[in-house]
Each structure stands twice: as C-alpha cells, then as structure tokens.
Amino acid sequence: MARMKFLCDAERCIECNGCVTACKNENEVPWGVNRRRVVTLNDGVVGAEKSISVACMHCSDAPCMAVCPVDCFYRTDDGVVLHDKDLCIGCGYCFYACPFGAPQFPQAGAFGLRGKMDKCTFCAGGPEADRSETEFHKYGRNRLAEGKLPACAEMCSTKALLGGDGDMIADIYRERVLRRGRGAEVWGWSTAYGLPPKPGAQPPQPQQPAAPTGGKS
Amino acid sequence: MIRLAFIVAAALALGACGEKEQVVVYKQGKYQGKPDTPPWKNESPVAELRGGKWTTGDEKSWEEAIKQRQLTQNEYKRIGQ
Amino acid sequence: MLLTRKATSAAAPQPRAFQPRLSRGLSGVFAATMDRRAFLKRSGVGVGGAAVASQLPFNIIARAEAKEEGGQLEVKRTVCTHCSVGCAIDAVVQNGVWVRQEPVFDSPLNLGAHCAKGASVREHGMTQDSHRLKYPMKLAGGKWQRISWDQAYDEISNKLLAIRKESGPDALFIVGSSKHNNEQSELLCKWARLWGTNNTDHQARICHSTTVSGLGQTWGYGAMTNSYNDEQNSKSLMFLGSNACEAHPVSMLHTLHAKENGCKVIVVDPRFTRTAAKADMYVRHRSGSDVAFLFGVLHQVFKNGWEDKEYIRNRVYGMDQVRDEVMKKWTPDKVTEVTGVPEDQVFAVAKTLAENRPGFIIWAMGQTQHTNANAIVRASNILMLALGNVGRSGGGCNVYRGHDNVQGATDIGPNPDTLPGYYPVAVPGSWTHWAKVWNVDLDWLKKRYASEALMAKPGMTVSRWIDGVLEKNDAIDQDPNLRAIIYWGHAPNSQTRGLEMLEAMKKLDLMVVIDPYPSASAAMFAKVRQDGAYLLPAATQFETEGSVTASNRSLQWREKVIDPLFESRSDQMIMYQLAGKLGFADQFIGKKDGRQVLRLVKGKGGMEEPSIEDVLRNEVNKGCWTIGYTGQSPERLQAHMRNMHVFDVKTTRARGGKDAKTGYDLTGDYFGLPWPCYGTAAIKHPGTPLLYDTHKHVMDGGHTFRALFGIEKDGINLLAEDGIASKGSDITTGYPQFDHVLLKKLGWWDELTEEEKKEAEGKTWANDLSGGIQRVSMKHGCSPFGNAKARAVVWNFPDPVPQHREPLYSPNPELVKKYPTHDDVKVFWRLPTLFKSVQDKAVKDEMYKKYPLILTSGRIVEYEGGGEETRSNPWLAELQQENYAEINPKTAADRSIRNGEYIWLSTPTGAKLKVKAKVTEGIGPDTVFVPFHFSGWWQGEDMLPYYPEGAAPIVRGEAINTATTYGYDRVTMMQESKTTLCQVAKA
C-alpha cells in the first residue's frame, strides 16, 4: 500500500517558489489562500540559511482531524488527509491545532467570519466525483486520480520537494545523503526525539540529547 | 370533543418523529461527510493529459503507475549515472 | 499518545443543539508546543485586497455541475517565456482555451522542473480578470481611450511618415525585444533597416552586451561556452556576478546535482544571496571591484605556478603581458584595498579553482553592468584560459543570459551595429549579403537611409535613447534628434536615469508601445503628457509559433498554444501591417522579380502575416553563416521537440532515435542543435554544445578558437601552434578563416559541386550562400572560421589588458585617484558620452559623503525584467507585494530604521524612492540592494491613474532605475546599474 508523503530537501531548496505557484496554477486557489509556502530560516546568516517548502504534512495522527468538531476530516488508504467542505463550519480549530499552519481560510470578514477551510489535498481532490468540475471548484485538481503526483513536487526547480510514496522518497533521499556524505542526522527519530537510532535500543537517558553525527547540515 | 383534542394532540406530539436532524450530531472519531472514491477506481486519463496508465479498479497497477511516475523526481535516473 | 483515541470521560449524550467541546478535543493537543513560525512572513494580504475582492468567495463551494464533456484535448509543446534556461512546457488546450499545464520530464534541459514563473505561465491564457492590454489605445486628453486597429495604424503611420519627411528616418528609435522569438527578431531587424535607420536595439544592450563584445574579441564568439547541463561534469563552479538561485533557478538543478557529486561551489557577491547559501565558500567583495578580485586570484595562480603552461603556449596570445601586469600591479595588499577581500580568502579561491579542474566561472549582470565591464568579462576569460579550462567539458565561461530569447535576439535581431548574424553594418559586404538573402534591391535599401554614411554608422543604443532626444543637436552624430520611439516588447524601467527618461518623454513627438501589457511606458508617458502615445496589443509568445535560443545556444521550437487573446495580434502581423502603411510591405516579405521569400499565411481573424517557418528556413538558415544558424531547419528542431527523451542529460546528445512523424534520424544530434550548426541542414551537422572544444571532430561538435584577429601581431603568431587542432583535422596547425582562395590553395576547391562553385566563387565561409565552403572545410575536419589563439590582450579595446576602474559614482575618492575611469568621448554610438567629468564632479561635490552607501540592484525570483508581465499574474504577485531595500542591521540602526517600515532612498540624481526596509545580515554595512522589477510608483506616488483602465499590474512599486545614475561601458554603452551611490532615511 503506498503511503503518500512530502519531503523537502533543505539542501536543495532555493526558495524559488515554484511549488507555490504550481499549486496555485493547478488548483486555482484564490488570493489569500496559500496551500504551500516556502520558509527561509536565518535569512542572510552565512552558513545557517536554509529554505524549506511547507504545506499540509498529511500526518498519520492528524491534529486537525482530532479536534474538528464536526468530524469533516478523513484519511484515504494512501494516507492523504482530506476534508469535506460541505460539513466544515469554519470554526478554525484545525488551524489552531496544526503545527504547520496548513489549514487556510479564504476570507477574514466581520465577526471573525472565516469561510470554509482550505488546505493542501496532495492533489487528491476531495469527497466529490473524481475529476469532475465540482471537485475542481471545491478542492482543486485531483492528480492522483490521473495517475500523477502533486504538481508542487513534480515542478520543483531543483527536485528538492519530493512527493509520493514514502518508500520511494526515502530511496531518493538516501542516495543524495550518501553522495553528499552527510545529512543523515537531519531527519529521523534520533533528531526529533533524542532516541538512539539503533533498533531495540534503551529508552533515552535524561541527561543529554544524542549528539549529531557528521558535520553541519 | 376530548377525543378530537386527543387525536390532535397525538398528531402534534408525533409530528416530530418524521423530522431529520438538521445539525451535525457529532460522533466521536467518525468521519461524517460524503464518501470519496479511491483514485484507482477511475479510468486512466487520455494521453493528452500526460497522466499514468493503470487497470481500472486495480489498486496495485495504479500504485505501480504512481511509483513509475515518481522516478521523474529522481534526476539520477534520467542522468543515468 | 494518539490524539484521536476515544476519551472515556466524554461519553455524555450529545445535546441536540451544536456545542463545541473544546476541552475534550484540545486537552492533549495544547500540551505539545505550538511553535508557530512566521508562516505568513512574506504575505501582505492587505495590500492586494483591493485587486482581489472579486476573487474571494465566502466559501469556495460552487454549484454542483455535471462533468464538462467539452471538446477534444490537444497538447502543444512550448517553452517558458521568461528566462534563458528554456524549460519546456506541455500546454493542454481544450476548445482553444488553455486549461492545463504539465511539466515535460523528458526535456534534457530542465527535466520537468520549473521555477515560480514557469509553473504559472498558464495565467497568460486566462481571460477573466486579465491585466493585459486588450485593444489598441490612444492617449487623448490625458486619458487612455480605446481605438480601432485601423485608426491606430493610420494615425501612427501618418505621424511617422511626417516625421520622416521633416527629419529623416533616424528620428525614430525602435526598441526591439529579447522576448521576440528568433524569427520575429530577425524580422524586426529587417523592418528597422527597411525603414532606413540603425537606431534600433533591444534588452541585450543592458544585459550582456559587454559579454558578447568581451568574449567575442577574446576568442571568437560572445556566448556561453558550454551549457547548464555541462556543469554536471565540473569540479568547481565560481559564481562571480550571478545569483542563479533567483535568476536561473532551474539551472541550480544541474549545479546542485554537481555539488552533490563533489563539485566545489564558490560564490563571490556583495550580498549573501540564496546562491551564496548553497556555496561551499562565500566571499564578500565590493560591487564593481571584480577586475581586482579576478586578477588577485590570477596573481595567486601565477605565483604558485598553477597555470596550465602547455595550454597557454599553444592556444593563448598575450598571456605573458598579462602576467607581468598582474604580478606587478595586483599584489594582495592592493587587491584587499580595492575589493575588501582579505588575502587568505583570495588564496583559498585560487587554490580551490586550481585544484578542482575543469571548472566554470559563471556570471550574469554582476559582471556586465559596469563602466569597465568589457574588462571584467575579459578578466574572467583570462582566468579561465590561464587555468586551461576553456574548450573542454566541465570548464569554461558559463554566461547566464537573461530573457528567454535574448541570445537569439542578440544573434539575429535588431542590433544597432550588426545585421542578423553579427554582420557589421560598417562593412558594405554585409549589406550586399543581406540584400541578397532578403531579396531586396540594394540601391533601394541604400536610398531608404538618410545617407550612406549613416547607413554604415552604428546607431544609438537603448541605454541612451533619452540623450538622443534631450542632447543638443550639434553634439549628436546624426542630423535630427530622436523624435519618435517605438517600445516594441521592452520595458522602460530597466534603463537607468528614469528622471531624465520622463523629461525625454515630455519632448517626444510620438511614442508607440507594442506589447502584451501597457508597461510602465504608458504610465510614465501619461503622467507628463496629454497626448502623443499609442498602445498596440501584441500577442504573447504562447500565441505564436517560432524558435527560441536558450543560453546554451540550443534552439527550441515553440508550438502555438492559443490564438491571440482579446484584440491582440502577433508581432509579425503588426510588422507586416505597419510595413504596409509605411510603404515597404513588399520588401518586407522579399517580393521582387517574381520571387517572394516569405509566404503569407492566415493569422488571427483571417488576416495575413509572414510565415514563421519561412523566416527560419529562407532567411535565417540562408543568411546566418557566421554563427551557424544555417543547420537548424524547422524540421530538425521540431523533431527534436517531439523526441526529447532520446537526449542524454550530461552531454545533451541523442544516442539514437528516429522521429515517428517524419522519419528523421536523431542519432548524434545535440539537443536543439546548439549554434554554430554549420552548413545547410542537409549535411546534418549535430550542433556545437561546447565551444572551442578540440577534443572532437568538427562534424561531431568540435570547435577551435576563431581566427578573427589576423595571422600575426608584432611578429607573434596569432594562429594556433603546430599540432593544435580539433580532432581529425586534416590541417594540424593553425589556419586562417576559410574562403575561396584558401580552398583553392589547399586543392579542395574541386570538391565543391558545380552549383556550389558558382555561388562560392569570390566568397568566404561567411557569405557563401551555397554553404559549400563550410561543407568542404568541415569534411576535412577543419573549422570554417579558422584555428587561432585566444587573445588575452585585446589591442583594439581601450584597455588591452583589463584594468580596474572605479565606478563613476564611487564611495572612495582615494581609489578614484588611483584607478580613474576613462576620458570623456566626444562621439560614441552617435552620442557624446561622459566618463571622467562625471566621476570628477561626483568627487568634487562630495557625493560619497552625502550618499555613503553603495546602491546595487538585481533580480528576485518571482518577477522578471521590467516586471509588468509577471506583476500582472496574481499567483506571482501575491508572493512579493512591495518593493524593498535590503539594508544591513548596522546601517539600519544608525538611521533608526526598523525592519518592515518605509524608507526614502535617495541618490545623486535627486530622486527619492519610497520602499520598504528589509533589514538583513545578508548585505554588508556599506551596500544597499533593491530589486529592479518594480514600476508603477513614482517617487512615492502611485501611478495607477495613469494606466489604462483594467490594465495596470496588480503589484506596483518604485522602479529603482528612476533613481540610478549616469554611467556607461566604454565599449558597448552598457549602463552601470550595478554600482552607484545612495542614502536611506526613515520615511
């Protein structure tokens, strides 16, 4: 079973915003709603500047799904997190819950009116007939139903943004890490949680986090 | 008279039985929206749309098509090193 | 802990009315950190609000509609219209409407990748809420009024003919376009000459004119020596004057792939750009001090004996003279004094380049837009020659050109000093040649000009047209001042001295803008005038077909995606129709003596226009022998576009393959048949992917240095040394350019066919219309243009050995004394051009005290060129809604400027621009950077009222060139936009 994921290789991301406009182009998202953004950290700082493209991460245990008062979220078999706009009440709790700021609302009006939540769909459309006009107007393009992958990942200028089956992404990224000779410490459990990378290892000691292997990322 | 009043009252009291709930009744952890068809249940698109090719309804062949497509994101494959 | 686990406490029955249970859902969630990044850092929703009200639905739910059955889907393969990387695009069209855009993974150049601009080109085909110029307009009573095409043509042609009668043809300046495809560019060059003037130019002047000149004079051709793809074969890449991440994003695919495989990336730049963030080594130097830096590196190379002595001896002339000067003049202390770079960094750069060969030096405007840029680019060449990097895979000078077809327009388009193919106007033979190809009577053509002298004199340049209007009449080198200008696909805010441009517009009799967008020209003109301007809507490059030359010299063929939208017409149709009104329609299509060079085909609305394929086949392929635009026939190019998958990415060569449609065998061709593709299409030259590469046979893409400069100089042999020739060459020593005399001497004359002999008699390789001389010389493995040495010393330039000269507006008067600029020139490209007097006055007026910061400008990835086209695309416009100035934290703190607030930026011209401050460490404390893509504000005033209704760009801002100063290159009249002075203050 394919498990769809995104990975943005920060060594290659140059903040060209190709992913951003590819998404806008493909899904005809209105002004003010940005399903995908590129963030540059440490702008101008020699040796520390990194850019990374962020959109909905289609979490396995999605906080947006957990908090939604009307349960309009669902996950497809491929792991794509989608929602039903007909049910959405625009309360904005998913926006509070998401650590990536993925839920977007089309308009800020009087009394905090938000409109229906919109977010990256992994170019998988939504709960309308696949590849229909209705689905396009509500949710954007359904590229998965055409046998394609999200427009942002396919059009990335340096192939920094990888989108598709997680195993294949891992293969691609692994090859790059091997060629660079470094970067393995950037992602993974040991970086996120301080756990040792070996399987069957002991739970973490409370003194210090695992030292990063290799040089600067 | 009382019988009439009783029938009317009964009719009124039971009148709500046929009504459907108009607001979403939250059921913890259960998606309440419209059903969504998985992508592989669709037909492959026409050639002009430059998409993948798979057997309609066959999830494995759709996955194969997607993974084949994903190879384009790995420029090492195209550069053939 | 799963957030979605059922919470046992929440089992209470649900009330009928909806009540959110915050506590239940969020208790576990808020425990984790909610580290919110400045996610919307670069969005300013407020600014775009007015333009967007119609686009914001309260919810995005539309009424349910049945799946549209629509018409047949078609795919047209085209090429992005923005930069010179040349990313291919598959445009899906339904019922004549452009509905989808798909990446072309097969393309060997971009592999399906796009930047923000390429990923959003479909917007050009959208008609709803379009900001394009939709119909012809005329400025009357200070307002833009809609008129018909016929009325526009009548009025414009009457006015032009009246001006011609009163003042002669040189009173008109035609600003052509680097966005025209090759065929349109060549047609415009012809159009200007048929009108009778050399006063025509295009964006290359202010882009890479110094590169073309500097490289051409060094070794023969002024273009990128290799390709973006070839960087994958490099061991080192030095970006000196290029911000490829923002200007050529997709080229970074090749660069970063190379870096991943061990290539060292060095970036030398006054700013820590996105490109610098990807570098292994970053060096900060002062804007304009590039010659000093390059020679500082060269000094280290010579000092440590890292130069390639064998290569220099065999293939380079004059390196000894350069070496003497560099060792004496550019010692580390002097280098540090001028550039600000410490010796250890210069040494580290030199060592890296020397130890990692082959390598490229890569540049764009950072090297070219200076008063001594002709010297800067030559210093780059010399460094590469010294390291032996030129003429091999992975090494050389990778020049990143700007617009999508600036390379093609430079090669065959409207230049003031050359006819298509770089045939100089000053040489009578060029006119004979082209009159023949165009099938135009040479005497008639001569009479079109005001005089034969003016016909042979290079015209004015786009960087100086304003002086053509404003300068005193007896100071200019032609009879009339300029009275009329046609801005044909060119923006005004990319030229310096905007304040004076406004003054020039006040004095013009006529301005015509032919463009898909009104451009800032319309707004500027309407600001100061009540009438005298016309706007004609031209079609974009997606609404016509044609070939386009990428920076690596490959030609790609664009198919027409959609018909011209609204009332726009293709440029070739407008040229033909205007030619009709002005009296040279027949000559324009080469109709003479029963022959017609260009067929007329039906264009939009059934109106006639010249056939684009005929232009390529019958004019470009028949006439451009000098640069090898003769082998790229429409058939070969189209076969390439249909079969991109057969081309290898590292070498761009097709390993095999046969085109299904025509049966054309692609084996051996290089993608896009990069020029020079010598000879006729019949001899199937594969193109030349790497210039000057002697490792291959010439029929395999091999090449030599051009013998353009003579056979010997001062007793030293200028031709290549014995044993140095391209692989398989029958002549194994240096040889001059081929002509009929040389062929006869070698005994090869009889290998020509009878027909070829007839045509080739008395001709050279460059004007033999049969192509026989080229064919025979290449059969023997010889380059038609000779086999010579590259020149490190260009004796016909003002500085034979490149010199560092301070910019006209320099921050350091001491350095001005040591490295002064050139003397003033009384007549240069028909205009008096000042150098020393401007520099001395600036020092005398103490400009360096009043304006102590160096002002430099450049690109950002979201926009391109003058910016009106990209700033009218909502998907791009949303990303950068305001113009800004990058200021160092110290500079900002000294002036109490906070990040994100407005500032006034002032320059020695007296202009004051209102921009936002972006405080960043990326720029040094002595420099300020402003992107140049904006226009639509004039010194704080929004020019929206001056644009035609509904055709103003969504995002408007100050144009930095409103405030930039006087300064031009001593050889090409390139403007000095990269280095001037400014001061900033809180608004």
Side-chain angles (χ1 to χ4, degrees):
Chain A
M1 169 85 41
R3 168 52 172 115
M4 297 299 175
K5 285 200 172 88
F6 280 122
L7 182 95
C8 181
D9 185 350
E11 289 294 313
R12 286 227 186 161
C13 181
I14 55 174
E15 202 194 350
C16 77
N17 282 311
C19 49
V20 176
T21 55
C23 173
K24 293 221 110 167
N25 184 349
E26 192 68 2
N27 299 296
E28 287 194 23
V29 184
W31 185 291
V33 174
N34 295 285
R35 294 185 173 185
R36 181 169 280 285
R37 302 307 302 274
V38 182
V39 179
T40 297
L41 307 169
N42 298 320
D43 187 299
V45 179
V46 179
E49 185 181 297
K50 283 273 181 288
S51 301
I52 192 162
S53 170
V54 191
C56 173
M57 297 305 280
H58 299 281
C59 310
S60 304
D61 185 11
C64 56
M65 204 185 311
V67 306
C68 177
V70 293
D71 261 335
C72 71
F73 287 89
Y74 65 100
R75 271 185 75 220
T76 68
D77 288 331
D78 301 308
V80 178
V81 175
L82 299 172
H83 72 296
D84 184 337
K85 285 192 183 181
D86 291 330
L87 276 185
C88 173
I89 57 169
C91 69
Y93 285 167
C94 52
F95 178 65
Y96 289 155
C98 175
F100 304 100
Q104 304 272 307
F105 294 90
Q107 186 174 6
F111 310 114
L113 247 45
R114 278 188 211 84
K116 304 282 175 174
M117 186 277 273
D118 184 67
K119 74 167 185 67
C120 159
T121 58
F122 209 83
C123 287
E128 295 286 345
D130 283 346
R131 286 151 57 175
S132 63
E133 275 302 297
T134 320
E135 190 193 38
F136 180 60
H137 281 130
K138 278 192 198 174
Y139 303 105
R141 194 67 67 186
N142 191 340
R143 286 173 73 88
L144 289 192
E146 290 174 352
K148 303 178 197 165
L149 287 166
C152 52
E154 300 207 310
M155 293 203 203
C156 174
S157 67
T158 51
K159 313 238 180 254
L161 181 62
L162 304 168
D165 177 47
D167 288 334
M168 295 214 34
I169 291 180
D171 284 339
I172 300 173
Y173 190 68
R174 186 182 309 117
E175 173 154 27
R176 293 183 189 177
V177 166
L178 284 173
R179 284 180 189 267
R180 285 175 201 149
R182 56 176 174 71
E185 72 286 357
V186 178
W187 311 98
W189 294 97
S190 54
T191 308
Y193 300 111
L195 288 170
K198 296 192 295 293
Q202 301 301 314
Q205 309 306 312
Q207 300 98 320
Q208 69 219 14
T213 55
K216 284 206 309 267
S217 52
Chain B
M1 192 61 199
I2 296 176
R3 197 187 166 82
L4 183 63
F6 181 73
I7 292 171
V8 170
L12 286 173
L14 293 169
C17 292
E19 281 182 14
K20 273 187 69 83
E21 192 58 61
Q22 285 189 339
V23 298
V24 176
V25 178
Y26 183 68
K27 293 190 190 68
Q28 164 77 320
K30 188 175 179 319
Y31 173 59
Q32 308 264 18
K34 293 189 204 160
D36 188 16
T37 40
W40 56 83
K41 293 231 166 90
N42 294 285
E43 272 180 35
S44 304
V46 293
E48 281 81 3
L49 283 177
R50 300 281 195 255
K53 290 235 158 336
W54 67 92
T55 322
T56 312
D58 180 8
E59 188 196 339
K60 271 277 158 267
S61 75
W62 175 84
E63 261 180 45
E64 280 311 305
I66 287 283
K67 287 186 182 172
Q68 190 62 34
R69 178 107 175 171
Q70 201 170 345
L71 290 175
T72 58
Q73 291 179 29
N74 183 5
E75 82 277 4
Y76 284 97
K77 290 279 177 282
R78 178 87 165 85
I79 293 170
Q81 247 182 307
Chain C
M1 177 191 102
L2 268 186
L3 300 166
T4 47
R5 189 189 300 158
K6 285 187 188 347
T8 48
S9 60
Q14 304 306 311
R16 190 170 283 171
F18 172 62
Q19 268 176 27
R21 295 296 184 101
L22 279 171
S23 54
R24 176 196 65 226
L26 299 178
S27 57
V29 172
F30 273 139
T33 51
M34 292 287 116
D35 186 7
R36 187 81 59 208
R37 287 177 238 286
F39 201 75
L40 296 172
K41 195 187 269 203
R42 291 229 289 197
S43 95
V45 180
V47 175
V52 179
S54 59
Q55 275 187 299
L56 288 178
F58 180 66
N59 60 49
I60 319 181
I61 294 181
R63 283 193 344 250
E65 287 164 36
K67 178 172 179 166
E68 214 208 82
E69 280 315 306
Q72 197 59 5
L73 288 175
E74 278 184 284
V75 179
K76 302 286 178 155
R77 185 157 282 185
T78 181
V79 176
C80 178
T81 181
H82 289 113
C83 88
S84 71
V85 174
C87 301
I89 292 170
D90 270 345
V92 182
V93 180
Q94 183 179 45
N95 283 339
V97 176
W98 189 355
V99 289
R100 300 285 295 273
Q101 177 185 338
E102 292 294 330
V104 180
F105 298 111
D106 287 337
S107 166
L109 298 184
N110 74 311
L111 286 75
H114 286 300
C115 72
K117 302 179 295 292
S120 57
V121 290
R122 186 173 70 92
E123 189 270 345
H124 285 84
M126 292 170 82
T127 50
Q128 192 184 21
D129 197 28
S130 167
H131 294 259
R132 274 176 68 162
L133 182 61
K134 301 172 185 69
Y135 27 72
M137 299 188 103
K138 168 182 171 172
L139 186 66
K143 289 259 165 275
W144 291 105
Q145 290 169 2
R146 178 180 181 170
I147 54 175
S148 70
W149 273 99
D150 289 327
Q151 184 189 348
Y153 279 148
D154 282 335
E155 293 185 18
I156 292 171
S157 53
N158 287 340
K159 191 87 192 139
L160 281 175
L161 289 170
I163 291 175
R164 187 196 172 94
K165 195 147 171 237
E166 291 161 24
S167 312
D170 287 297
L172 170 65
F173 193 93
I174 301 158
V175 187
S177 182
S178 297
K179 287 216 168 302
H180 284 154
N181 56 39
N182 285 328
E183 294 76 21
Q184 290 168 338
S185 299
E186 197 266 350
L187 284 177
L188 189 58
C189 179
K190 181 164 67 161
W191 197 94
R193 268 64 196 207
L194 296 180
W195 165 263
T197 183
N198 286 334
N199 284 338
T200 176
D201 204 359
H202 61 107
Q203 283 93 334
R205 180 70 38 202
I206 52 178
C207 163
H208 269 285
S209 60
T210 41
T211 301
V212 173
S213 180
L215 269 68
Q217 291 293 310
T218 299
W219 47 47
Y221 284 140
M224 187 190 231
T225 57
N226 299 39
S227 62
Y228 297 112
N229 296 49
D230 199 44
E231 288 178 18
Q232 293 175 16
N233 300 316
S234 298
K235 293 274 184 324
S236 63
L237 295 171
M238 177 155 85
F239 288 81
L240 169 57
S242 159
N243 184 6
C245 280
E246 301 227 42
H248 302 89
V250 179
S251 75
M252 293 304 289
L253 176 60
H254 300 290
T255 304
L256 290 174
H257 182 98
K259 185 179 171 207
E260 221 160 76
N261 288 284
C263 177
K264 299 271 174 290
V265 176
I266 303 171
V267 171
V268 185
D269 201 300
R271 306 162 55 212
F272 186 74
T273 56
R274 295 276 179 271
T275 318
K278 295 282 179 281
D280 292 309
M281 197 188 302
Y282 166 63
V283 175
R284 196 192 289 276
H285 77 315
R286 179 170 64 100
S287 174
S289 63
D290 308 82
V291 172
F293 179 79
L294 286 162
F295 279 168
V297 172
L298 192 57
H299 180 103
Q300 300 289 345
V301 167
F302 282 136
K303 187 158 126 196
N304 293 287
W306 289 330
E307 73 272 24
D308 189 337
K309 299 183 182 63
E310 195 61 28
Y311 184 97
I312 293 171
R313 193 177 56 82
N314 288 328
R315 299 192 76 189
V316 183
Y317 162 83
M319 191 61 90
D320 292 324
Q321 195 179 337
V322 172
R323 188 207 164 99
D324 288 338
E325 181 151 338
V326 164
M327 294 315 286
K328 215 171 32 197
K329 226 173 144 180
W330 292 109
T331 51
D333 55 321
K334 300 250 186 52
V335 171
T336 310
E337 184 193 23
V338 174
T339 63
V341 181
E343 181 184 353
D344 58 329
Q345 280 186 18
V346 177
F347 177 78
V349 170
K351 185 157 190 280
T352 311
L353 291 180
E355 288 177 356
N356 294 285
R357 289 183 247 194
F360 280 110
I361 181 166
I362 294 166
W363 73 84
M365 307 298 92
Q367 285 196 24
T368 61
Q369 286 180 343
H370 296 282
T371 44
N372 67 332
N374 64 86
I376 298 176
V377 303
R378 286 184 43 232
S380 296
N381 295 358
I382 291 170
L383 179 61
M384 285 295 117
L385 285 171
L387 291 170
N389 275 337
V390 186
R392 50 194 293 206
S393 174
C397 293
N398 257 10
V399 174
Y400 285 8
R401 309 251 3 202
H403 284 296
D404 53 325
N405 199 30
V406 64
Q407 182 66 57
T410 312
D411 296 330
I412 63 176
N415 295 302
D417 58 339
T418 59
L419 295 176
Y422 299 107
Y423 291 84
V425 299
V427 173
S430 311
W431 293 102
T432 322
H433 174 75
W434 279 103
K436 191 161 175 198
V437 175
W438 289 337
N439 197 27
V440 164
D441 185 39
L442 183 57
D443 288 312
W444 175 90
L445 187 56
K446 285 184 185 167
K447 288 209 198 63
R448 294 292 292 172
Y449 276 79
S451 68
E452 283 217 34
L454 278 172
M455 190 175 176
K457 194 180 301 190
M460 296 187 196
T461 60
V462 66
S463 43
R464 296 291 301 281
W465 75 262
I466 54 181
D467 290 324
V469 177
L470 296 172
E471 189 63 65
K472 286 195 290 288
N473 186 268
D474 45 7
I476 58 179
D477 197 19
Q478 67 177 33
D479 299 318
N481 278 64
L482 289 180
R483 290 179 59 190
I485 188 163
I486 303 181
Y487 257 107
W488 207 320
H490 200 300
N493 57 315
S494 47
Q495 292 111 72
T496 51
R497 299 163 61 204
L499 289 182
E500 288 167 87
M501 188 180 289
L502 208 62
E503 296 302 310
M505 285 187 176
K506 285 185 192 161
K507 284 182 91 174
L508 279 173
D509 286 314
L510 173 69
M511 181 178 86
V512 181
V513 176
I514 307 179
D515 202 295
Y517 296 84
S519 84
S521 320
M524 284 169 74
F525 203 90
K527 184 173 152 64
V528 291
R529 293 280 297 268
Q530 295 291 309
D531 56 23
Y534 294 85
L535 308 176
L536 297 179
T540 65
Q541 287 304 313
F542 301 110
E543 293 154 22
T544 179
E545 61 174 6
S547 68
V548 58
T549 310
S551 190
N552 68 321
R553 293 166 285 105
S554 286
L555 273 74
Q556 297 190 86
W557 183 266
R558 282 194 182 113
E559 291 178 329
K560 186 169 94 157
V561 176
I562 47 178
D563 280 330
L565 294 179
F566 310 111
E567 283 187 35
S568 65
R569 297 184 183 181
S570 66
D571 288 284
Q572 60 267 31
M573 186 185 284
I574 299 174
M575 281 183 225
Y576 180 62
Q577 290 173 341
L578 261 182
K581 289 283 183 190
L582 295 170
F584 51 87
D586 282 347
Q587 287 84 355
F588 189 62
I589 53 173
K591 191 168 172 186
K592 183 175 79 103
D593 300 335
R595 206 183 123 223
Q596 186 178 323
V597 179
L598 305 175
R599 280 171 303 175
L600 290 168
V601 294
K602 292 260 182 282
K604 182 178 175 188
M607 293 183 283
E608 288 183 326
E609 61 184 25
S611 154
I612 289 289
E613 280 197 9
D614 278 359
V615 177
L616 181 58
R617 202 179 290 115
N618 298 341
E619 290 194 358
V620 180
N621 288 154
K622 284 276 186 314
C624 297
W625 299 96
T626 43
I627 45 177
Y629 260 76
T630 47
Q632 298 99 336
S633 62
E635 289 72 35
R636 290 178 86 188
L637 293 180
Q638 286 161 9
H640 279 218
M641 295 304 282
R642 284 191 289 266
N643 297 284
M644 286 170 138
H645 56 285
V646 305
F647 293 93
D648 172 60
V649 176
K650 272 196 161 170
T651 60
T652 68
R653 195 160 203 189
R655 287 164 279 211
K658 222 178 166 98
D659 178 40
K661 189 167 166 195
T662 58
Y664 174 74
D665 184 7
L666 297 146
T667 314
D669 277 1
Y670 289 97
F671 179 68
L673 301 170
W675 70 258
C677 180
Y678 291 121
T680 57
I683 68 170
K684 212 169 171 291
H685 188 275
T688 313
L690 310 175
L691 290 177
Y692 320 119
D693 182 9
T694 48
H695 300 96
K696 301 202 277 283
H697 190 281
V698 288
M699 278 307 282
D700 224 16
H703 211 223
T704 52
F705 287 136
R706 187 172 174 181
L708 186 55
F709 318 112
I711 307 218
E712 67 159 21
K713 172 92 176 154
D714 300 334
I716 302 178
N717 176 26
L718 277 179
L719 298 178
E721 293 298 326
D722 284 339
I724 301 302
S726 53
K727 183 168 164 203
S729 173
D730 280 354
I731 307 177
T732 53
T733 179
Y735 48 86
Q737 303 187 71
F738 270 83
D739 59 5
H740 69 117
V741 173
L742 183 58
L743 271 189
K744 287 174 184 152
K745 251 200 235 173
L746 289 164
W748 298 345
W749 179 254
D750 287 315
E751 295 178 33
L752 291 166
T753 67
E754 283 312 307
E755 277 187 38
E756 285 175 339
K757 274 190 194 167
K758 254 194 296 209
E759 182 61 53
E761 183 57 51
K763 299 276 177 55
T764 73
W765 69 286
N767 60 355
D768 162 27
L769 291 186
S770 71
I773 297 179
Q774 290 194 2
R775 182 181 67 81
V776 169
S777 56
M778 286 198 295
K779 203 173 81 166
H780 289 272
C782 296
S783 273
F785 72 178
N787 179 16
K789 291 191 177 135
R791 292 195 298 174
V793 174
V794 175
W795 53 83
N796 46 314
F797 264 22
D799 290 327
V801 177
Q803 299 293 326
H804 167 68
R805 290 182 189 271
E806 283 291 306
L808 295 197
Y809 287 85
S810 164
N812 190 330
E814 292 305 310
L815 289 177
V816 168
K817 268 210 274 290
K818 286 192 197 163
Y819 306 102
T821 187
H822 297 278
D823 291 324
D824 292 347
V825 188
K826 206 142 162 278
V827 166
F828 186 46
W829 300 87
R830 300 195 187 180
L831 290 166
T833 311
L834 307 171
F835 290 85
K836 202 138 191 353
S837 45
V838 174
Q839 194 177 55
D840 289 341
K841 183 161 189 297
V843 170
K844 197 168 87 135
D845 291 345
E846 296 196 326
M847 289 297 180
Y848 58 93
K849 281 206 187 126
K850 297 187 200 133
Y851 304 98
L853 301 167
I854 300 174
L855 173 65
T856 186
S857 52
R859 293 228 31 220
I860 53 176
V861 68
E862 291 84 5
Y863 301 133
E864 205 237 345
E868 302 274 307
E869 181 183 4
T870 40
R871 278 180 288 111
S872 299
N873 181 339
W875 302 327
L876 291 171
E878 191 177 356
L879 293 168
Q880 187 61 50
Q881 297 179 26
E882 292 190 301
N883 199 2
Y884 62 92
E886 284 189 4
I887 306 178
N888 183 271
K890 176 176 189 314
T891 316
D894 285 344
R895 293 160 178 75
S896 299
I897 294 173
R898 291 183 189 74
N899 188 24
E901 62 177 22
Y902 277 113
I903 54 164
W904 284 109
L905 185 143
S906 51
T907 64
T909 59
K912 285 167 86 86
L913 305 179
K914 191 170 180 200
V915 290
K916 271 240 163 101
K918 179 184 171 192
V919 179
T920 170
E921 272 180 55
I923 194 149
D926 55 351
T927 314
V928 170
F929 169 85
V930 180
F932 86 99
H933 303 292
F934 290 81
S935 62
W937 277 21
W938 192 267
Q939 303 195 75
E941 177 201 349
D942 189 354
M943 291 165 83
L944 182 59
Y946 304 117
Y947 281 93
E949 189 83 29
I954 301 171
V955 168
R956 296 174 296 282
E958 292 282 5
I960 186 61
N961 279 319
T962 308
T964 43
T965 52
Y966 193 102
Y968 298 100
D969 176 78
R970 185 59 185 83
V971 173
T972 66
M973 201 67 97
M974 157 70 78
Q975 60 191 26
E976 184 163 61
S977 17
K978 277 292 177 185
T979 313
T980 183
L981 297 174
C982 76
Q983 176 65 285
V984 295
K986 228 161 112 82

